Amino acid sequence: MTDKNVSEAAWTLVTSFQEANQAVAQHLVSAQERTRKLAERFFTEGMEVLKANQAAAADLVAAQERTLQHTQRFFTEGMEVLKANQAAAQGLVAAQERTNQYVQGFFNEGMEVLKSQAESMRALLQELDQQIRKQHEALQTLAYAPVEATLDVLRTPLAAYQKALGMAETVTQQGLEQMQQAAEQMQQATHRTRKHYSE
């Protein structure tokens, strides 16, 4: 390797060290500047937060003073408020009694309707059961061994129809029971309300 190449390599190495040191220095300066700005903003915003907290504390003290005045006025006028509440409670009890009477009448009529529907459904099911038996007997009379599969096809819709009618009767009975439970719950709620306001 010639002296010229050695000199150039040494110069390149020195130049590279200088450029690297310059890049590091620039990076450190930039980082310090960002840190300074962050600290500056932190302290500036911190002062604003402290001022806002101080204003909020002053508002809280003022609100507490107003609350104290309101509380004193409330106790001064408390008897009038209690009398008004008692009158309102009595009016509420009377309104609930009227509501209870209305609801009881509604449920009583509803239960009568459901009972009537249940009786009508039973009569209909009995009539249909008789008709199905007649149809079944007629099918058995007309049945022949070669056409047994055809008769099974005819029996299937009849059985499904009978099952649907049975389900309808069950739903009607459940509706009647739910109406009775609702009426009992309404009576219990009214009794509790009366007891609460009578105390």
Side-chain angles (χ1 to χ4, degrees), residues 47-66:
M47 288 302 295
E48 293 299 323
V49 168
L50 287 175
K51 288 178 183 177
N53 287 344
Q54 186 177 7
D59 290 342
L60 179 60
V61 169
Q64 287 177 338
E65 288 180 358
R66 289 194 300 272

Side-chain angles (χ1 to χ4, degrees), residues 128-139 162:
L128 289 175
D129 189 51
Q130 291 176 2
Q131 295 300 326
I132 288 171
R133 285 179 188 166
K134 288 180 183 178
Q135 293 168 9
H136 186 64
E137 289 171 3
L139 286 172
Q162 189 174 17

Side-chain angles (χ1 to χ4, degrees), residues 115-133 135 158 161-169 172:
K115 285 178 183 176
S116 174
Q117 287 179 352
E119 291 172 2
S120 175
M121 182 62 71
R122 278 196 218 76
L124 176 61
L125 288 173
Q126 288 175 355
E127 176 66 23
L128 289 175
D129 189 51
Q130 291 176 2
Q131 295 300 326
I132 288 171
R133 285 179 188 166
Q135 293 168 9
L158 293 174
Y161 184 59
Q162 189 174 17
K163 184 177 178 182
L165 289 175
M167 289 176 63
E169 183 180 20
T172 302

Side-chain angles (χ1 to χ4, degrees), residues 7-24:
S7 296
E8 286 178 356
W11 178 251
T12 300
L13 183 61
V14 169
T15 304
S16 175
F17 279 142
Q18 288 177 345
E19 289 175 353
N21 287 337
Q22 186 178 3
V24 169

Side-chain angles (χ1 to χ4, degrees), residues 36-50:
R36 183 189 65 78
K37 287 181 180 178
L38 176 64
E40 212 173 79
R41 190 171 72 252
F42 172 77
F43 284 113
T44 302
E45 292 177 0
M47 288 302 295
E48 293 299 323
V49 168
L50 287 175

